[in-house]
Amino acid sequence: MQKILNYVNGQWVEPQGVESVEVINPATGETRAHTPLSRTAEVEAAVQAAAAAFPAWRRTPVQERIQPLFRLRDLLKTNMAEISRAITDESGKTFEEAKAEMVRAIENVEVACGMPMLLKGEISEDIAPGIDEMMIRQPLGVVATIAPFNFPGMIPFWYLPYAVATGNTYIVKPSEKVPGAMQIIFRLIEQAGFPPGVLNMVNGAREAVDALLDHPTVRAITFVGSSNVAKYVYSRAAANGKRVQAQGGAKNPVIVMPDADMEMAVKIIADSAFGCAGQRCLAVSWAVTVGEARNEFCEGICEAAATRKVGYGMEEGVQMGAVISQQSKARIEQLITLGASEGASVPVDGRGTVIPGYERGSFVRPTILMDMKPESAVWRTEIFGPVLGLMHVNTIDEAIALANAQSYGNQASLFTSSGAAARKFRYEVEAGNIGINIGVAAPMAFYPFSGWKESFYGDMHAQGMDAVEFFTQKKVIVERWPKEWTRKF
Amino acid sequence: MQKILNYVNGQWVEPQGVESVEVINPATGETRAHTPLSRTAEVEAAVQAAAAAFPAWRRTPVQERIQPLFRLRDLLKTNMAEISRAITDESGKTFEEAKAEMVRAIENVEVACGMPMLLKGEISEDIAPGIDEMMIRQPLGVVATIAPFNFPGMIPFWYLPYAVATGNTYIVKPSEKVPGAMQIIFRLIEQAGFPPGVLNMVNGAREAVDALLDHPTVRAITFVGSSNVAKYVYSRAAANGKRVQAQGGAKNPVIVMPDADMEMAVKIIADSAFGCAGQRCLAVSWAVTVGEARNEFCEGICEAAATRKVGYGMEEGVQMGAVISQQSKARIEQLITLGASEGASVPVDGRGTVIPGYERGSFVRPTILMDMKPESAVWRTEIFGPVLGLMHVNTIDEAIALANAQSYGNQASLFTSSGAAARKFRYEVEAGNIGINIGVAAPMAFYPFSGWKESFYGDMHAQGMDAVEFFTQKKVIVERWPKEWTRKF
Amino acid sequence: MQKILNYVNGQWVEPQGVESVEVINPATGETRAHTPLSRTAEVEAAVQAAAAAFPAWRRTPVQERIQPLFRLRDLLKTNMAEISRAITDESGKTFEEAKAEMVRAIENVEVACGMPMLLKGEISEDIAPGIDEMMIRQPLGVVATIAPFNFPGMIPFWYLPYAVATGNTYIVKPSEKVPGAMQIIFRLIEQAGFPPGVLNMVNGAREAVDALLDHPTVRAITFVGSSNVAKYVYSRAAANGKRVQAQGGAKNPVIVMPDADMEMAVKIIADSAFGCAGQRCLAVSWAVTVGEARNEFCEGICEAAATRKVGYGMEEGVQMGAVISQQSKARIEQLITLGASEGASVPVDGRGTVIPGYERGSFVRPTILMDMKPESAVWRTEIFGPVLGLMHVNTIDEAIALANAQSYGNQASLFTSSGAAARKFRYEVEAGNIGINIGVAAPMAFYPFSGWKESFYGDMHAQGMDAVEFFTQKKVIVERWPKEWTRKF
Amino acid sequence: MQKILNYVNGQWVEPQGVESVEVINPATGETRAHTPLSRTAEVEAAVQAAAAAFPAWRRTPVQERIQPLFRLRDLLKTNMAEISRAITDESGKTFEEAKAEMVRAIENVEVACGMPMLLKGEISEDIAPGIDEMMIRQPLGVVATIAPFNFPGMIPFWYLPYAVATGNTYIVKPSEKVPGAMQIIFRLIEQAGFPPGVLNMVNGAREAVDALLDHPTVRAITFVGSSNVAKYVYSRAAANGKRVQAQGGAKNPVIVMPDADMEMAVKIIADSAFGCAGQRCLAVSWAVTVGEARNEFCEGICEAAATRKVGYGMEEGVQMGAVISQQSKARIEQLITLGASEGASVPVDGRGTVIPGYERGSFVRPTILMDMKPESAVWRTEIFGPVLGLMHVNTIDEAIALANAQSYGNQASLFTSSGAAARKFRYEVEAGNIGINIGVAAPMAFYPFSGWKESFYGDMHAQGMDAVEFFTQKKVIVERWPKEWTRKF
């Protein structure tokens, strides 16, 4: 059984005398490890290490700070299979999905390797005769990320490479459910050559979270998780005067127009709704057909749902893996039942799924909730499982109105061949990530991961220049150097 | 007596049945007006008006949205004297200071006139073959500013022009102590041609503030005031899920090096410490001399303090006006007394100031607290009056350490002729606005007003691109348009 | 008869003893003025004035340099009718077209008013420990524009406001055919408050052009005109070591897809082809229909061409004015005849147009060259008159291939309702300005006016940030300020 | 003896039947290789290969185009010693200097790895209701570099990584004197995984240069060399309608103020003047002392010049190597003699240098031309050897005037401890690269290499965003998608 350690000040540390939680392979039900639940003292040690490393790291020129990131990029590439396997065995997703996740992680490292360009400040000559003004971006100090279970290898990389490339020192708290990928990644970080204390990891749960939110030395917090925890993190960190961004849940709509390429729409929407067993904040969660799109799409998507191959993610040909836990499986099944009780039919029903050979696995097959009602509770509830609701309207205006009636705003997608429909949609729909003939509108690493409404609290987002802005503070300098002073020479 | 009205939905509105507070000319003690203390219902009306105006305003092309700003710029220029007189008669500052304040306001309008450039989003072709990605900045909706008393004509313009040029609709709550300037300015706004509801004003105090902080339709809050209220605003708005920036107090140091041009240093530091009667968040509040700078600087600054002409700000030759109120005068005098009790000497003492002909005025003459102690409470307390503390150390390292020991970080200044000292200072000192041979390092409108530490809560600042970032939300779009689809033609 | 003067060093100057050319109202045939053909000596005087004004203007802070631009914007707005009338009476275009031209001119002034933001340089702290690097944009010195006849009021504003806002001093040589608008505009420039020598105007033709191209003090040249003169200007200015951009001619295609909104396509394409009597470098010059688009479009466009009301541009209801001169009329008619001789039919024929009451006017009615051949000379020749060629192909690929076979690359447009067609088109077509369901894809002032291929020589374009880049040179500074040096204090 | 080959379309090619020139180790006089002088046909083949590779390379997503650059970075790092040895043995510089050169090359690769960020275009919603505008950067096609002998491993990297990361295909013509480094580097390029034809190398001299300048398929040319050839390249490429930048020679001044740290100034200026045997376009070529700086600096620099260890660059402890050739040695010695004849004294004289054991080497020891006259020809002539002229003035104003009297403008440096002197200097001195207490103000790869005056022809420079601008053309798109069109659904 793997030992899960903290990584503090360049050392692997085993927290003593703390509770732990089991890490279970969702496909097999086997216990893989125990995550120690670090207490405030362990967080304190990590903060101290990060704070001690900060002054020298901040003084390291940016093009030297990116050198270990270039090495880390290479190491992540060469060790992708090992990390991905750990992701599959802890999160339940397929091996292909795990590798795709790591590709995204690496892209963020690559973007952060361009930090010398991104970190530039500004300068203006002669704001008054002989007086210049400049703005310089300086790092904050110690910053931290609280990561969720669904992308254990990727989400820390929305922040980590930007945080350290800009000169901060950093602490990550992985999800206690999926600590394994970051164990491997920190081994690579160790090889990449970061000075001790620049990158730190503390495993744990609620107490560790609160310790980070409350510690006066931690200058900024990034969080990804459910909306209610996101709001908690946002307001608690703010009450402590911190800079904070907190990304929450989603209930992402997709609109299918009658002029869509229906075959493509079915395939992509199925991938979006059932990929990663629906446990993605960008997963399409409900589809609304417009006018004549209805029949062909509904038939197609039911077929796609019914035939998706479900199983252990390491097995060849498996298209969808397990959900994260038995509790999650139970919750998803309850929500399907709720949907049915609220008037939806269930033409494809994943409740009670048992995969032969993996009877202890937490599997839920793809499920369709047909004719979900806009007044139903299930329509407003994030299921975080492989369940796609279907609705129908007559016009694109109705469809957009329905999308905008949701309190979440993480993603919205449209399938159409019409330039006008696409433009109207992206102009009017209230979500931060928009897909046109795209199922998972995940922004590239050089764009912000841009949630809206209850899917995001804060102003600057993950990835790209938003991350640079978030992890730096601006210093404005006004300088007067009278040329008269040179007369004395 | 002037009537103070709200401006909602393009109409001047008199709140009925509400309490009011007296607006007193701090120099003469005369009552000029009564500010109505709007209640939640008045705020609600303004929010409704702003919300109703939003959809059409947002759809107005940006180069049309800036047209009324161009007109407003002209109107502010031609009406500067009238506005400035109102500022002087309500805030106590001199007429020259009031005009300088309005110059800064106008500069912000001018920068916002450049919004077509600043609002641009980004686009990348071929993030995958045939797939493009773009980022568009869209307005938030209804946004609001809670303004302080010390710059009644300028501080709303740190936000207002950016908020509306980016397509938001806007509500300002001026300080109840100084409502007059904004009454005139909204008359000009009316002439400038903004559609009804785009710009709104609600007068009031605590209840109006809380109504804005709590209203679910208000998407973003900007605040300037004391640090404890700033922190209150930051955490309450965050708990309501809002985007928020809150600018707080200051205790700004200036370091005088032995190689400084001493005559210039004395003049500029006196202007900084005593200008606007010290009621500026960028006022120098304490000076620390290094090595041999001590004697010459101390003599000079005492002389400058003792000879500054104090009086009614509209009178010719007056260099310093009144503080905002009798309560403020009393508080400042108590803090001087506290400083003296903590070991500082008071070679120039402004307590008990009476200006002949203005016996009811709230005047405090320039005051020097010599040899203020780093362990004293007065050193850590924002006085917000014309009081300059003096300290002395032997090296620039000690001086910077002292500056960084403050919990505030709004501004820090250095007087020197050394390029190396300047660079070391701007690199090491922990403040957002830095002056080199500058007394009031106020960023130009095209730079952020960049407080640090307890002087600022949030990430994006006032003015310039920070304001654009703050008042917009990013929408990321991923588009697939298969070229195969064109084969059907 | 109006006197056409030069404007040099803040003075109106009448060149003595020089030849002149008649300025003729193309609609009435009346002589309006005589343009003096300044010689090298007059250019020399203007260059001297501009050079003398440069040092002080360059040292004027940018936010002061934009103040006269704000005033000029207001003056252009209030005097738009007078300027537009002069444009109509010299260029032949309609009064509405002249006003639209001035709107574009003003937009460029507005963008240049945002120069404090656009002129910012860059700074990086710690490129090595204790060493900083910065880049500052500084003006070049004396720069000049050689303007064409077709947009006498607009094209100088693609450059002028950027040139002076960035701190250069400037000389414009208007087209000798249409000097009147700039006479009025320089009267406004005089009122706007620019210091003498900052903005200068020299009227003339070839000798003045060469004098500008050869003068060693002129640092940069911008030119708009025909491609062969553009290439001449580009290579002669380059041989003199200057920075240069030269915009040439065009032969702009439009593709009409079968899924286009045909009514809209006809209307917009007619406006594009016949607006300004076809004398626009963004005018659509030939239309290619794809598949079933043919019949409906051809019928519609012939009808639109045949019914367009032609006459004196100041008359109410006139939709199209005269071409610039009798020579131009003759040349256009010859090209129509050439087209006919090369196999095109001429279902709508503007040859021999006479407008009653304006018998001396240079009128050519809208003309259609149906079934123009790709191998014909007329297809490769810029006509610069109200002549639209029609062609037909079966697929979008053929249509794009045809568009790309042209040696010009100024504009290409597509009419479609398909997002995929639009994307394919903008990805593949080789032109700098692209319209999707747009007839005249004129970039807004905050975007570059971006010709390609033989339509443009250079790298940076007119308008926006391109103009800022073009009119400034970058100075990179590397600074070492050892902190050890502060020990001596 | 090494065989020097071309690299075309992914193949190593030996030009047949062409002349060649000897490549001689300047320190030993030994022949190392023969560079084939490719003729127009070889250039044609390379252009064809590059043109054929362009369409697919341009369609490759930018984040895939950077993958081989990441690999190339690693390969350059691991093969740095081999490349550097080739540089030393062909150019004469020391091994340390060669390695430092390669560090700069690698930094440019690293910056180009950030291309996804740098290549972004712009987008504006609603330039009119329902109409959007965007600007996209697209590659030019085939572009080429003509490289000089003094930095055989670095200068191609000012362009190559940017050219290919932006989607162009590329041809480099190395200097025929120093072909070896690029032979190794192209071996690494081969391993890095670029598709055939994307990167090509043609060895040769004048005929190959002209073939590149004249070929209609080559869209852009970059050149580094002497000013007269730069001007030739600039005007010939322009006459062919190409985009071009051409970097020329230099005669770089350094000003030494009396308040400079004299020990540091001497050391750094000696390194600048004598490093790379003075064969750098950023080498300090003449020093002017101000006031009391004279004696101490002159003594120090003579001492530094006299004691610099000269020899074969691969030998331990050698501080300065050979100049490029016997002809160069002879020319340098003649210029020293000229300087002496024009009134300068030669307190340290490198003429007639013979290094024992390297009697066939082209060595010139560091030389000082004391009291060089401003009216002398030697003061205006680029020596490109280890010769430092000394001059003296009384004020900084005189010193700057002298610097600005030069026709070149590549670099200017100042040594001072005064912030005011530094600011005055960088504000007033007419050069593109400025050093404050810096001897070789080489811009980092993320800044432009910014020559002025006769040191540069063009507008966009090498490195960073300038290179991105230079190697891309902007396409502006205006799109109308009427929302009415969605009603039909």
Side-chain angles (χ1 to χ4, degrees), chain B residues 57 65 68-69 71-72 160 164 189-190 192-196 198-199:
Chain B
W57 185 241
R65 288 198 303 249
L69 286 172
R71 287 189 289 273
L72 181 57
L160 180 157
V164 297
I189 282 171
E190 210 172 10
F194 292 96
V198 169
L199 284 167

Side-chain angles (χ1 to χ4, degrees), chain B residues 73 76-77 80 102-111:
Chain B
R73 171 197 173 271
L76 289 170
K77 279 195 169 261
M80 189 188 284
M102 288 314 299
V103 168
R104 289 284 185 172
I106 292 167
E107 283 173 3
N108 276 286
V109 178
E110 290 178 356
V111 170

Side-chain angles (χ1 to χ4, degrees), chain A residues 74 120 126 132 423 427 446, chain D residues 74 120 126 132 427 446:
Chain A
D74 293 349
K120 283 183 180 179
D126 272 343
D132 304 325
R423 201 273 177 183
Y427 192 84
F446 40 103
Chain D
D74 293 350
K120 284 183 180 178
D126 272 344
D132 304 327
Y427 192 85
F446 40 103

Side-chain angles (χ1 to χ4, degrees), chain C residues 72-267:
Chain C
L72 181 57
R73 171 197 173 272
D74 292 351
L75 290 164
L76 289 170
K77 280 192 169 262
T78 49
N79 293 274
M80 190 189 283
E82 184 191 356
I83 303 168
S84 301
R85 164 132 210 171
I87 292 172
T88 292
D89 279 347
E90 292 185 352
S91 76
K93 70 178 62 171
T94 69
F95 191 54
E96 289 308 311
E97 289 168 346
K99 285 188 289 187
E101 174 181 345
M102 289 313 300
V103 168
R104 289 285 186 171
I106 292 167
E107 282 173 5
N108 276 285
V109 178
E110 290 178 356
V111 171
C113 285
M115 195 54 68
M117 272 288 185
L118 310 183
L119 198 58
K120 283 183 181 180
E122 301 174 338
I123 183 165
S124 299
E125 219 172 25
D126 273 343
I127 58 160
I131 299 180
D132 304 326
E133 182 160 347
M134 60 190 102
M135 182 276 283
I136 296 175
R137 294 175 205 275
Q138 295 185 335
L140 297 167
V142 180
V143 300
T145 292
I146 299 159
F149 76 81
N150 60 337
F151 285 92
M154 176 183 76
I155 285 177
F157 282 94
W158 285 357
Y159 310 108
L160 180 157
Y162 305 100
V164 298
T166 54
N168 299 279
T169 52
Y170 181 81
I171 302 167
V172 63
K173 192 210 80 59
S175 165
E176 68 278 15
K177 297 190 183 73
V178 291
M182 288 307 281
Q183 294 286 310
I184 304 167
I185 287 167
F186 264 80
R187 233 178 49 216
L188 305 179
I189 283 172
E190 209 171 10
Q191 296 169 42
F194 292 96
V198 169
L199 283 167
N200 306 276
M201 171 173 53
V202 176
N203 289 284
R206 180 68 183 254
E207 181 173 338
V209 167
D210 286 348
L212 288 168
L213 296 179
D214 293 344
H215 200 297
T217 302
V218 176
R219 294 286 312 279
I221 293 282
T222 66
F223 170 85
V224 177
S226 66
S227 283
N228 59 337
V229 182
K231 199 168 179 185
Y232 166 80
V233 165
Y234 186 61
S235 74
R236 183 158 179 164
N240 286 317
K242 294 192 198 322
R243 190 174 279 210
V244 54
Q245 62 171 259
Q247 195 156 321
K251 187 79 182 180
N252 301 313
V254 60
I255 300 175
V256 182
M257 298 295 290
D259 67 346
D261 177 322
M262 218 49 83
E263 193 180 344
M264 175 196 275
V266 165
K267 187 189 169 316

